[in-house]
């Protein structure tokens, strides 16, 4: 493969086979690092490919991890920015798919907050989270709704119950988005600039949060009350982890 500017490694997107990597020469270290990150060499194409079915997020993380390792070794890497574009979400016939855009990292947006001094700039960061078409809140709501549909498609009592539970969670996410929008409006009318003598944001302690059972704890508690071949139905069941009373769902956010 002819590589512009001859980087040591180049990552790109094959139209049919997904993320691919090409190397400038046959140095063993290049092959070793790519194989460590699950790339496998295709001699007929002269490129390295990830296993078939590798998810988009996994592929992006893999490219990032391999790139860091190459950089640490003093090697040059080129990457096609289209690697960051997620695949479109399947839609019913006649419904246009949403235009795919690179995902926004909440970690990166949190990092931006540490550098901002004007309230208007913080309002803009919140807008990236609340954006109707590509914001994190709307994307999370759609993801949970899709997970609920997956559970309901099992067509079992447990699947239907879990689907309903997930849809309730999606309502809570929409309610959260509405509350964040309220906070965004309040912030827009607050004093514009942080005082020069204000402490660095990293030095301001975060508020204490109430502890809630982790997902793993809740799953184990539910499993404990379910009869199985390993626990006769007559034995006493372990108590289920307590649940907090859910807040009333707000109006659904339209996408």
């Amino acid at each position: 493969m002819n590589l512009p500017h001859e980087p040591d490694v180049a990552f790109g997107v094959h139209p049919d086979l997904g993320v691919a990597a090409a190397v400038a020469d046959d140095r063993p270290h290049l092959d070793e690092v790519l194989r460590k990150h699950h790339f496998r060499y295709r001699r007929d194409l002269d490129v390295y490919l990830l296993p078939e079915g590798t998810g988009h997020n996994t592929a992006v993380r893999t490219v990032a991890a391999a790139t860091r390792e190459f950089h640490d070794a003093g090697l040059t890497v080129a990457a096609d920015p289209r690697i960051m574009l997620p695949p479109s979400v399947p839609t019913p016939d006649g419904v246009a798919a949403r235009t795919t855009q690179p995902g926004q990292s909440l970690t990166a947006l949190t990092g931006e907050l540490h550098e901002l001094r004007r309230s208007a700039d913080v309002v803009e960061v919140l807008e990236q989270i609340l954006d109707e078409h590509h914001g994190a809140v709307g994307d999370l709501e759609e993801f949970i709704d899709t997970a609920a549909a997956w559970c309901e498609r099992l067509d079992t009592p447990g699947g239907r119950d879990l689907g309903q539970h997930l849809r309730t969670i999606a309502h809570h996410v929409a309610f959260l988005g509405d509350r964040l929008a309220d906070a965004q409006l309040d912030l827009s009318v607050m004093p514009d600039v942080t005082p020069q003598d204000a402490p660095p944001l990293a030095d301001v302690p975060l508020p204490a949060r109430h502890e809630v059972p982790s997902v793993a704890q809740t799953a184990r508690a539910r499993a404990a009350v379910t009869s199985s071949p390993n626990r006769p139905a007559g034995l006493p069941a372990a108590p289920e982890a307590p649940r907090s009373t859910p807040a009333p769902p707000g109006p659904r956010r339209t996408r």
Side-chain angles (χ1 to χ4, degrees):
M1 177 181 288
N2 294 323
L3 301 176
H5 313 301
E6 286 299 328
D8 295 299
V9 184
F11 293 101
V13 180
H14 189 281
D16 300 316
L17 302 175
V19 174
V23 296
D25 52 53
D26 59 356
R27 276 173 286 174
H29 179 68
L30 303 180
D31 179 83
E32 177 185 341
V33 172
L34 288 171
R35 290 184 179 277
K36 172 184 174 181
H37 293 282
H38 310 296
F39 283 90
R40 294 296 179 263
Y41 184 61
R42 276 280 300 267
R43 187 175 300 278
D44 57 327
L45 298 174
D46 192 25
V47 295
Y48 289 80
L49 297 170
L50 288 172
E52 183 179 358
T54 299
H56 169 74
N57 289 346
T58 300
V60 171
R61 289 194 299 267
T62 299
V63 170
T67 298
R68 284 195 297 269
E69 190 160 344
F70 284 129
H71 283 169
D72 290 344
L75 301 172
T76 57
V77 178
D80 187 334
R82 288 176 296 180
I83 292 173
M84 297 297 296
L85 285 175
S88 59
V89 177
T91 58
D93 292 339
V95 177
R98 282 196 301 154
T99 303
T100 56
Q101 293 187 357
Q104 297 182 32
S105 166
L106 284 176
T107 302
L109 292 177
T110 302
E112 285 186 29
L113 290 178
H114 286 259
E115 306 299 326
L116 301 179
R117 302 196 68 84
R118 298 174 59 248
S119 58
D121 295 331
V122 181
V123 170
E124 290 184 4
V125 171
L126 276 172
E127 183 59 35
Q128 295 184 59
I129 296 174
L130 297 170
D131 180 83
E132 180 179 355
H133 300 289
H134 302 289
V137 171
D139 285 348
L140 179 59
E141 182 185 357
E142 182 178 12
F143 173 82
I144 296 173
D145 271 333
T146 303
W150 190 97
C151 293
E152 292 165 351
R153 196 174 57 169
L154 295 174
D155 199 25
T156 62
R160 288 188 288 272
D161 288 346
L162 185 53
Q164 183 58 47
H165 181 58
L166 286 169
R167 292 196 188 280
T168 300
I169 294 174
H171 278 286
H172 285 298
V173 173
F175 181 79
L176 170 65
D178 291 337
R179 301 291 73 77
L180 284 173
D182 291 342
Q184 183 188 34
L185 289 174
D186 291 340
L187 186 63
S188 67
V189 297
M190 291 178 69
D192 188 51
V193 180
T194 304
Q196 290 294 332
D197 58 351
L201 190 57
D203 293 342
V204 179
L206 296 177
R209 294 183 175 88
H210 296 292
E211 290 189 3
V212 296
S214 69
V215 173
Q217 290 174 328
T218 304
R220 285 195 295 268
R222 287 177 178 171
V225 300
T226 303
S227 61
S228 71
N230 298 322
R231 184 180 65 81
L235 293 180
E240 184 174 358
R243 295 182 182 177
S244 58
T245 303
R252 289 300 297 272
R253 185 179 294 270
T254 57
R255 303 273 306 156

